[in-house]
Amino acid sequence: MADERTPGDAPKDFSALLSDGDVRSGFEAPEASRWPRIGGERVLLFSATSWAAVTAATPLLARLGSHSLALMTLARVLMGVLQGVFFPSLASLIAQRAPEGQKSFLSAIVQSGTSLGILLAGLLGSVMLDRYSWEKAFYAVGFLSGLWALVVWQYLPKGKPHPELKERRNDDQSKTFSWKRLLRLLRKPCIWSMVLAHTCTCGTSYTLLSWMPTYFSEQYPHLRTWVYNVVPWTAAIPAALCGGYVSDSLIGRRYSVAFVRKSMQFIAMGVSTAFVLLLSAKMSPPVAVICITAVMVSLSFTSCGSSVNVQDLTPSSAGALYGFMNMLGSFMGMLMVALSGYLIEGTDSWAPLFWLVGAVHVVGLAVFLCFGDARRVDLEDSNVAALD
């Protein structure tokens, strides 16, 4: 078993071909600082249509003879840059335009959309690979991505903000982002605890996404592939939406925003840890599928926890700070995938992978529960900057 595995390798399926979180990480935070001047709506349109074009052009680049390797590498880096600014710009839009009682549900829609995209890309890619060729798969995904971007652009709010948000938006746009300001924010316990929780969740999610197909194919070779590749992501979609609805409902009933964020993060990291540790023991295939599904369902609640907490704490810098958090999360994912690969290889067992994920969850959750908050801190930071 050990000889067939390379430490840190991601599963060789179609969705892995489209994954570029590692490359994008280095570009998110620097690019995010320009959004207030450009506009999150334009960033979304440019990002989505550009990466769709790069995806569709990938088969053409692969046919350019001796230059194909260099061009393919350049295309992957460009894809990373373009996708790296997408989610932070969404966070900026939600922070600037969404009423207070709707942020959780909107963030949950983004989270569920991610799961749906992974699911549909995998299904479409598998069908295209079986019936046609890998080139057609890239053409189809690129075309559908571009079409989606144009449709969404038609429905994005591009006019004047809602009256109740206009004053807050004007106040936020008067604050310019800088690295000095980011470092000042990171000195606040509520900020760095949120960043740590988000980084840990991203790292463990990427690790599970990378290794679970290999785990199931080795441990349960007679189990149909679609069961463990489709069921967990399908269940995570309504779970994320449910978490967003419950979060906004609790806030609407005057529950503390900090209490709601911590409760959702406890489900995401605490409950998922219990099921992750169960996977380290021997079990039947149906029970293993139930456990990994429960893990993905629980992790989807992070969209109502640390992921949306950035909009509570720093709405004026939500996009830039979220980009910084995603950058750290991507690096964490790279390290955890590689480390877990070496642990699996060295012990010839899958248990260390699940112990590692559980330990990271416990640390991130404990820090967030102790130091996390939801009171806005960027106004206080702006006053300090003015005195400086």
Side-chain angles (χ1 to χ4, degrees):
M1 178 176 65
D3 293 336
E4 298 174 358
R5 220 189 275 118
T6 301
D9 272 358
K12 306 299 189 294
D13 58 2
F14 180 77
S15 61
L17 295 174
L18 299 178
S19 176
D20 62 331
D22 297 344
V23 179
R24 80 183 182 197
S25 58
F27 300 94
E28 286 181 338
E31 293 297 325
S33 62
R34 297 181 175 87
W35 301 332
R37 285 172 284 176
I38 300 174
E41 305 91 341
R42 294 184 180 89
V43 173
L44 282 176
L45 178 65
F46 175 77
S47 172
T49 53
S50 298
W51 94 54
V54 173
T55 300
T58 298
L60 301 178
L61 297 177
R63 294 197 183 98
L64 294 181
S66 60
H67 300 290
S68 61
L69 179 59
L71 290 174
M72 289 284 286
T73 303
L74 180 61
R76 298 307 298 169
V77 173
L78 181 60
M79 180 85 80
V81 175
L82 295 170
Q83 290 198 351
V85 300
F86 185 80
F87 286 104
S89 62
L90 275 176
S92 179
L93 274 178
I94 294 174
Q96 298 291 337
R97 289 187 174 270
E100 195 66 36
Q102 298 179 15
K103 290 181 180 179
S104 299
F105 188 69
L106 289 173
S107 297
I109 291 176
V110 174
Q111 175 72 27
S112 62
T114 303
S115 299
L116 180 62
I118 293 174
L119 182 63
L120 293 180
L123 289 174
L124 175 64
S126 298
V127 172
M128 298 292 289
L129 286 172
D130 289 340
R131 297 189 178 183
Y132 302 101
S133 63
W134 70 269
E135 293 94 340
K136 297 289 179 54
F138 276 86
Y139 293 148
V141 172
F143 171 76
L144 292 177
S145 298
L147 180 63
W148 172 87
L150 295 176
V151 171
V152 171
W153 172 254
Q154 297 299 317
Y155 292 95
L156 276 176
K158 298 180 283 295
K160 296 181 179 179
H162 192 277
E164 68 181 71
L165 302 174
K166 186 174 181 180
E167 181 178 351
R168 185 185 76 186
R169 189 173 186 232
N170 291 337
D171 182 52
D172 291 344
Q173 288 183 335
S174 65
K175 303 174 182 61
T176 58
F177 175 83
S178 66
W179 285 105
K180 182 178 179 180
R181 185 169 181 232
L182 175 61
L183 294 175
R184 188 183 293 112
L185 286 171
L186 288 173
R187 288 199 289 265
K188 300 179 184 295
C190 59
I191 296 292
W192 61 257
S193 63
M194 171 194 66
V195 172
L196 178 63
H198 183 82
T199 300
C200 292
T201 306
C202 287
T204 55
S205 298
Y206 191 75
T207 301
L208 292 172
L209 173 65
S210 298
W211 281 111
M212 283 305 93
T214 308
Y215 164 77
F216 276 98
S217 65
E218 289 191 358
Q219 298 296 106
Y220 309 101
H222 301 296
L223 189 64
R224 291 184 179 275
T225 304
W226 67 267
V227 174
Y228 54 82
N229 279 335
V230 174
V231 173
W233 299 108
T234 303
I237 294 171
L241 296 175
C242 178
Y245 176 79
V246 171
S247 296
D248 286 340
S249 297
L250 291 174
I251 294 173
R253 294 180 182 179
R254 304 298 181 183
Y255 281 85
S256 166
V257 178
F259 169 78
V260 174
R261 301 295 182 237
K262 291 180 180 182
S263 299
M264 295 298 108
Q265 197 64 25
F266 176 81
I267 296 175
M269 303 183 81
V271 175
S272 66
T273 298
F275 288 100
V276 162
L277 295 179
L278 287 176
L279 285 168
S280 63
K282 293 290 184 181
M283 59 184 65
S284 63
V287 176
V289 173
I290 291 173
C291 285
I292 192 61
T293 301
V295 170
M296 291 301 152
V297 166
S298 302
L299 282 173
S300 68
F301 280 76
T302 193
S303 61
C304 315
S306 61
S307 294
V308 73
N309 192 213
V310 66
Q311 300 167 24
D312 304 319
L313 298 174
T314 61
S316 65
S317 303
L321 188 55
Y322 193 80
F324 179 76
M325 291 162 57
N326 272 2
M327 179 185 71
L328 296 181
S330 295
F331 280 125
M332 184 73 164
M334 284 193 294
L335 293 175
M336 287 191 63
V337 168
L339 177 59
S340 57
Y342 284 110
L343 290 175
I344 296 169
E345 187 77 15
T347 62
D348 200 23
S349 170
W350 286 93
L353 164 65
F354 302 117
W355 297 341
L356 175 64
V357 170
V360 171
H361 274 180
V362 169
V363 172
L365 178 61
V367 172
F368 186 73
L369 293 179
C370 290
F371 300 102
D373 203 346
R375 291 173 294 182
R376 186 170 180 176
V377 297
D378 55 346
L379 294 178
E380 174 187 348
D381 171 72
S382 297
N383 294 333
V384 173
L387 293 176
D388 292 343

